[in-house]
Amino acid sequence: MLEKMDDRFDPEAVIEEFESLSRDAGRVQRETLQKILDENGETEYLQGWGLNGRTDPDSFNDCVPIVSHSDLEPYIQRIADGNSPCCLTGKPITTISLSSGTTQGKPKFVPFNDELMESTMQIYKTSFAYRNREYPIGNGKALQFIYSSKQFKTKGGLAAGTATTNVYRNAQFKKTMRAMQTPCCSPDEVIFGPDFHQSLYCHLLCGLIFRDEVQVVSSTFAHSIVHAFRTFEQIWEELVTDIREGTLSSCITVPPIRAAMAKLLEPDPELADTVYSKISGLSNWYGLIQELFPSTKYIYGIMTGSMEPYLKKLRHYAGELPLLSADYGSSEGWIGANVNPKLTPEVATFAVLPNIGYFEFIPLREDLNRQGQEAKPVGLTDVKTGEEYEILVTNFAGLYRYRLGDVVKVKGFHNSTPELQFICRRNLLLTINIDKNTEKDLQLAVEAAAQLLAGEKLEVVDFTSRVDLSMDPGHYVVFWEISGDPQDELLQECCNCLDRSFVDAGYLSSRKVRAIGALELRILRKGTFHKILDHYVGLGAAVSQFKTPRCVGPANNTVLQILSVNASRSYFSTAY
Ligand code: AMP
């Protein structure tokens, strides 16, 4: 039904469809599993688990094991090498996505196909329909900070790129954006440019050229928006000169980008004066986005999970504009849409679309996970409000009972489908002995300590961490890049505050008996996180999907090296 709406997109019909799917989520899940198994039951992978044509959830759960990416890697590699395109799916896989693989420092291959593309559009349309009820937009454009990754061919000749790149390249994407009245104001040459610094420059320039038409400022992950406006602070004068003179800065060297931008640029001193005066009227860049793009209705992008640390800066740039948090998914497939756009990003939830995959949830309550044994997964409609789970995905692209690695909390239900809050990555743990601190714990500790900088009008630009076991006992190292240069005393206080803010009982007791050494705060030179971003982009990651690694594993040598070379000062906690 949804495919037919591409040209005449009726948000109310999309809402009606989602309401109906979510009212009967249990039945839709069973039918979805059946469809997946009907399409793919004959594959080498599923044949190997002895389903013998059965497609019911009980047989599926009994026969097919829970897996991680590493279990499926040999199959995916064979697909990529062109040896067995159908070992996971009935229809051959012809495209590979690179997921970010942030912690391990190495992107992972996952299969991509038309069904994933379709579910991506279904998610986009569903959340847009609900969003548009609360924040209607007219005809206009979106300033989208989206970038393509490098695309390449695998050994077997399959196209490979990040999932977002596969989506942006698909004709369906543009059609859907037009149908949602938010075509991107930048030409394709900018989105698919080979150098993201140049693409970013031109995105900003296009935004200014179409400043009155921009209705929405967005990106996949909020980091890209903050990164864009931090860059704007540095380069705005050059942008204004380009507009005034109608010529493109010589720092843009990619010929197709220059050609595409030449079609948009003409001398416009009036616009240059307006932009200049808007910027001059700002205090410390507060409300920059609102001033630059006066027709903007909201700012949109994923703002939850590892994006939360950028919210403060984003709010600063946004002024009074609402921040609307985008949907929940991954390169492996989408999960839920934000159908409550009025919730602030801190409490945003995602209603699971029960027809895009078959979802299971491993309860994480400690009493259910005794003696190293994991609790049994429960179905989509059997989850309980208030409980945390690890999510398992079975989809139309060859993943069966696949650990996505994310921890979610059920906040309630939309009809009978759960509304999930993203909590953290399950494996992102700072741990030395009995202590366990997640990405969220680190974020809270950094937030608490960064408060101490606020009095000096300084901020933590970005942060990460690692466990240092080179000395006995081991200790946590937290790395900060700061917007200015605070005094040693203040940083020592921040370091103590960080140490005290990890309140996990295992950490606390270990610190008290010195089974864990004093927390170390290392200050990084300006631009270090840009170097980390450049490193990931060089590996084939897309800026669109970039997430700063919050905990750097011991195997991630290059990032550890960048951190070590760029550390300028170091403090050890005296809190215990
Ligand atoms: P990628 O590997 O680039 O496909 O990123 C997928 C991962 O990004 C997910 O497994 C989550 O950990 C994270 N992610 C995606 N959407 C959200 C969201 N709405 N909130 C928080 N984290 C998200």
Side-chain angles (χ1 to χ4, degrees), residues 93-99 108-114 116-118 120-121 124 147-153 158-174 191-192 330-332 334 540 542 544-545:
I93 294 285
T94 55
T95 310
I96 293 284
S97 288
L98 294 172
S99 88
K108 296 179 292 192
F109 280 7
V110 290
F112 184 83
N113 63 6
D114 288 347
L116 283 193
M117 185 63 206
E118 247 166 58
T120 306
M121 294 306 109
Y124 283 9
Y147 309 86
S148 146
S149 64
K150 282 189 203 145
Q151 279 219 311
F152 62 94
K153 293 270 182 213
L158 279 74
T162 52
T164 42
T165 305
N166 292 332
V167 169
Y168 304 150
R169 283 205 183 273
N170 196 297
Q172 280 288 327
F173 174 70
K174 269 201 174 168
I191 301 170
F192 298 110
S330 69
S331 308
E332 287 89 337
W334 286 91
S544 290
Q545 262 170 267

Side-chain angles (χ1 to χ4, degrees), residues 97-102 108 110 162-164 220-221 301-308 325-336 348 350 391 404-407 421-426 439 542 544-547:
S97 288
L98 294 172
S99 88
S100 46
T102 308
K108 296 179 292 192
V110 290
T162 52
T164 42
T220 308
F221 286 97
I302 293 174
M303 298 171 188
T304 36
S306 62
M307 296 298 129
E308 268 186 49
S325 195
D327 310 312
Y328 171 36
S330 69
S331 308
E332 287 89 337
W334 286 91
I335 293 156
F350 311 100
I391 192 160
L404 200 56
D406 289 343
V407 176
Q421 184 175 35
F422 181 89
I423 300 295
C424 60
R425 298 284 302 165
R426 189 170 183 186
E439 175 180 7
S544 290
Q545 262 170 267
F546 180 72
K547 300 163 211 75

Side-chain angles (χ1 to χ4, degrees), residues 380-428:
L380 180 74
T381 50
D382 300 319
V383 294
K384 303 257 178 306
T385 301
E387 298 283 320
E388 290 190 3
Y389 299 89
E390 179 183 349
I391 192 160
L392 299 179
V393 176
T394 296
N395 71 8
F396 285 92
L399 304 181
Y400 308 97
R401 314 195 79 202
Y402 176 94
R403 283 180 193 272
L404 200 56
D406 289 343
V407 176
V408 295
K409 184 174 196 169
V410 177
K411 297 299 282 185
F413 285 82
H414 185 98
N415 297 321
S416 62
T417 201
E419 292 188 325
L420 309 176
Q421 184 175 35
F422 181 89
I423 300 295
C424 60
R425 298 284 302 165
R426 189 170 183 186
N427 63 358
L428 262 189

Side-chain angles (χ1 to χ4, degrees), residues 522-525 565-570:
R522 283 197 204 162
I523 306 300
L524 300 167
R525 294 199 181 83
V565 172
N566 289 284
S568 59
R569 291 193 265 169
S570 164

Side-chain angles (χ1 to χ4, degrees), residues 292-313:
L292 289 182
F293 312 108
S295 309
T296 307
K297 304 288 186 301
Y298 52 82
I299 296 177
Y300 187 64
I302 293 174
M303 298 171 188
T304 36
S306 62
M307 296 298 129
E308 268 186 49
Y310 307 110
L311 279 174
K312 195 165 168 225
K313 192 70 181 173

